[in-house]
Amino acid sequence: MPAIFWFRRDLRLQDNEALNKAAEHDGGSVQPVYLLSSTDFAALEGIRQHSLVESLRSLDGDVSGALTIISESGWHAAAERLASLATSTGAKYVFATRAFDPAGIAEQNVVGLALKAQGIFLDLTGSYYAVTPGCVAKPDGSPYRVYTPFFKAWFELAHYARPLVLPPNASFHRLAHSELPTPTKRAPFKVVAGEAFARRTFERFKSRALANYHEARDRADMSGTSHLSHALAFGEIHPRTLLAQLGDSDGHNVYRKEIAWREFYADVLWHNPHTTTEYYDSKYARMRYDSGTEADTRLAAWQQGKTGFPMVDAGMRQLLATGWMHNRVRMIVASFLVKDLHIEWQHGAEWFERHLSDFDPASNAHGWQWTAGCGTDASPYFRVFNPITQGLKFDPNGDYVRKYIPELAHIDGAAVHEPWLLLDGLSGGYVAPIVDHSVEREEALARLAELKASGA
């Protein structure tokens, strides 16, 4: 009797603990399925729809066309259909990777209950992380709230994690006829995805930028990052696979720490599931933020990359054009929204969720809260990014800005970061700054003082 395997955010064959367990269940025969809420899919932006479809297309090829995609209007309907199909095969188990984020937990609860009603057990194994959320703890058993001590404890566990190999006798068979979902929106470019592409991307990163990762990763004008965030978000490659190939050089160690940041945020969200939309440090919910027509106008300018601050606008336009944004620039645009425009972080996190092809619930929520100063670790609210000096430091010749803001293509060198200082700086149609950064920085600090004075 073939085992049924439910693919989730683990769209790969190798280094997949739950899939290995399914393959070992009964002679290696596996029926792979993927559950899709058509309502949720329709709500995604075009880049996210195409990213998912291409990842599924690649996976279907890897399993010789055996992937069954169960698409229904909602998770309850999809779960009921899976239960019905499993019952028709006589299956007693459905295998899957355990999720630890709120949405993933809700999905597996719905599926588990539907299967249980038919006498079928949902066997959840492993996780999307090198170290499962909840496993890293202080000596007293409580979770870490600060990254550095978390990393030290995490490393002791992650150091022993080794990639898994799919059993050679594994074979895949279709559970029921299905077709790939059809995107309802356009993508800005043709998406390439899948496990093989992820592995090729990592190999290119190792030869291209890993050795100098500690020096180049923050430069927005250079290709100094791994470009694997999409693959990790979809589970096309497991962090164990990446960690196993890292050495002890500076570049390798910093990349290891970046992987650990992802796992730290997953651990924080596991212990604080409310923080996808609510404050980790609840007192900041009482801070004075802007709302109303003017705030909405400024939010729209931020979303479309029309704030008049080139480094901010280049990042926001990169997001719309590619479905991705350089990590350093993510911090710059987040700080600008919260501390220059005084708009709550949730508005930015929601925009990122809509448009990022590498959206990860834990990294998104806690990356935003870290920059907003209301999250974990030592990033206080009074740390305010200056978008001009950040641009000069991490895009020193202005190449990144000119790439995404054609209105500034006529300006050479670093002057592009302050076009309003040039006689012809705004002649290409670029907008003047919508706020004065120095004024808004003082305003942000004044609001922080108000919060402290209130005894919050």
Side-chain angles (χ1 to χ4, degrees), residues 71 96 110 154 194 197 243 317 320 324 327 333 341 346 395 419 437 449:
S71 179
V110 169
W154 170 89
F197 181 70
L243 291 168
R317 296 188 193 189
L320 294 177
W324 185 81
N327 184 62
V333 304
L341 302 186
Q346 293 94 331
D395 182 28
H437 170 71

Side-chain angles (χ1 to χ4, degrees), residues 1 30 83 114 132 142 144 167 181 207 211 216 305 310 318 334 344 351 362 368 416 427:
M1 184 184 300
V30 178
T132 297
S142 62
Y144 285 100
S207 62
Q318 181 184 31
E344 287 191 274
W351 187 255
W368 269 94
V416 76
S427 63

Side-chain angles (χ1 to χ4, degrees), residues 395-415:
D395 182 28
N397 196 46
D399 295 333
Y400 174 75
V401 163
R402 280 186 291 274
K403 180 177 181 179
Y404 292 104
I405 306 180
E407 306 98 295
L408 299 179
H410 64 291
I411 302 176
D412 294 329

Side-chain angles (χ1 to χ4, degrees), residues 44 137 191 283 314 370 386 392 412:
L44 296 175
V191 177
K283 68 174 178 287
W370 184 89
N386 183 320
L392 292 169
D412 294 329

Side-chain angles (χ1 to χ4, degrees), residues 207-231:
S207 62
R208 169 181 55 82
L210 180 56
N212 297 317
Y213 183 76
H214 59 299
E215 296 177 340
R217 67 189 177 93
D218 279 329
R219 286 283 296 272
D221 60 332
M222 299 173 63
S223 184
T225 61
S226 70
H227 297 289
L228 281 167
S229 55
H230 172 279

Side-chain angles (χ1 to χ4, degrees), residues 381-439:
Y381 182 87
F382 57 76
R383 181 187 186 187
V384 182
F385 284 79
N386 183 320
I388 301 169
T389 57
Q390 289 281 310
L392 292 169
K393 184 175 182 180
F394 299 113
D395 182 28
N397 196 46
D399 295 333
Y400 174 75
V401 163
R402 280 186 291 274
K403 180 177 181 179
Y404 292 104
I405 306 180
E407 306 98 295
L408 299 179
H410 64 291
I411 302 176
D412 294 329
V416 76
H417 291 292
E418 298 176 276
W420 54 86
L421 298 180
L422 304 176
L423 287 176
D424 65 343
L426 304 181
S427 63
Y430 188 61
V431 297
I434 62 174
V435 295
D436 183 322
H437 170 71
S438 60
V439 171

